[in-house]
């Protein structure tokens, strides 16, 4: 299975030290992952000047570049499907390329941190969103997998320094990053459940 990773998820996971853990958490080698060509250029630019939008630390840019070096060639737009998403409010040009690529390659999944785009996709007519049912993985699933594999203390050590870059994760981990395991699991289940229920059938994968 091929995994497409959007810029939002790529950068958030890099800040949290989880990007290079994708193989152990998901069972997918980085060699079977890919992202947008623009991700590399944004990371290179961030090494000299952080944009404070997706890149807040040079270390995260380094991690992105190290991961991209192992990945498949960047995604090329699937022109026959791209137009279906280009003018949808909430779906930017990068997400449109990713969604078009999913349509063109059925044996792929999308790892995303862009909830705005996910909600926009879920609001499309049933026939437009049908190709994406059960093929989207949210970053909260990766957080949950890390919790299951390493326990809360290790997860905190990775996520807490940069938890504020994601609103949901900031809440999940607690204002002082002191939420207990039961609370973290309940919050993760709540956020994943909310995304899962955006449409029926759901866009969200049931498991990694």
């Amino acid at each position: 299975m091929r995994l497409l990773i959007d810029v939002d998820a790529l950068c958030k996971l890099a800040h949290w030290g989880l990007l290079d853990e994708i193989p152990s958490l998901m069972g997918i080698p980085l060699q079977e992952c890919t992202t947008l060509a623009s991700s590399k250029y944004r990371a290179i630019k961030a090494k000299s000047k952080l944009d404070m939008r997706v890149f807040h630390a040079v270390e995260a840019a380094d991690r992105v570049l190290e991961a991209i070096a192992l990945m498949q060639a960047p995604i090329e737009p699937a022109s026959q499907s791209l137009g279906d998403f280009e003018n949808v409010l909430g779906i930017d040009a990068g997400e449109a390329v990713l969604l078009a690529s999913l349509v063109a390659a059925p044996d792929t999944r999308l790892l995303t941190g862009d909830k705005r785009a996910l909600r926009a996709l879920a609001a499309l007519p049933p026939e437009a969103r049908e190709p994406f049912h059960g093929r989207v993985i949210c970053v909260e699933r990766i957080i949950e997998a890390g919790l299951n594999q390493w326990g809360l203390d290790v997860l905190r050590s990775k996520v807490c320094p940069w938890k504020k870059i994601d609103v949901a994760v900031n809440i999940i981990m607690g204002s002082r990053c002191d939420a207990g395991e039961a609370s973290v699991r309940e919050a993760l289940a709540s956020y994943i459940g909310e995304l899962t229920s955006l449409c029926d059938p759901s866009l969200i994968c049931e498991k990694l």
Side-chain angles (χ1 to χ4, degrees):
M1 182 190 71
R2 191 183 189 204
L3 181 68
L4 312 183
I5 308 176
D6 73 6
V7 174
D8 194 87
L10 192 77
C11 296
K12 285 175 179 175
L13 294 178
H15 281 84
W16 298 331
L18 297 176
L19 184 57
D20 60 350
E21 299 287 356
I22 283 177
S24 64
L25 296 175
M26 299 186 65
I28 301 174
L30 288 176
Q31 290 81 357
E32 293 180 18
C33 300
T34 189
T35 188
L36 297 168
S38 60
S39 300
K40 181 177 180 178
Y41 303 118
R42 293 179 75 168
I44 292 172
K45 186 176 179 180
K47 285 176 64 63
S48 57
K49 184 179 180 181
L50 297 169
D51 61 19
M52 304 309 290
R53 187 168 170 224
V54 294
F55 284 108
H56 301 261
V58 172
E59 293 81 3
D62 287 334
R63 289 169 183 160
V64 165
L65 291 172
E66 289 168 4
I68 288 175
L70 297 173
M71 292 181 181
Q72 295 181 7
I75 298 168
E76 295 295 333
S79 57
Q80 69 274 21
S81 302
L82 190 56
D84 295 340
F85 309 104
E86 283 185 314
N87 298 313
V88 178
L89 184 65
I91 297 177
D92 64 24
E95 295 292 339
V97 170
L98 290 165
L99 294 174
S101 298
L102 278 179
V103 172
D107 189 28
T108 60
R109 289 184 183 178
L110 171 64
L111 172 57
T112 180
D114 190 338
K115 294 181 178 63
R116 185 168 180 258
L118 192 54
R119 291 188 173 95
L121 179 61
L124 293 178
E127 62 274 13
R129 65 175 189 256
E130 190 275 334
F132 310 103
H133 293 161
R135 298 177 64 194
V136 179
I137 300 166
C138 55
V139 293
E140 287 82 3
R141 284 276 194 215
I142 308 301
I143 299 288
E144 183 182 55
L147 177 60
N148 290 338
Q149 183 159 312
W150 306 313
L152 184 57
D153 288 342
V154 173
L155 183 66
R156 280 177 178 155
S157 71
K158 289 178 172 291
V159 173
C160 287
W162 294 104
K163 69 184 182 69
K164 291 184 179 180
I165 63 175
D166 184 272
V167 174
V169 170
N170 189 38
I171 294 171
I172 287 166
M173 300 305 294
S175 59
R176 297 180 181 177
C177 217
D178 57 356
E181 182 170 341
S183 175
V184 170
R185 288 190 180 280
E186 182 179 0
L188 282 167
S190 177
Y191 275 98
I192 294 170
E194 189 268 330
L195 295 174
T196 299
S197 66
L198 286 175
C199 60
D200 186 22
S202 178
L203 305 172
I204 304 297
C205 298
E206 291 185 7
K207 58 183 179 179
L208 294 181

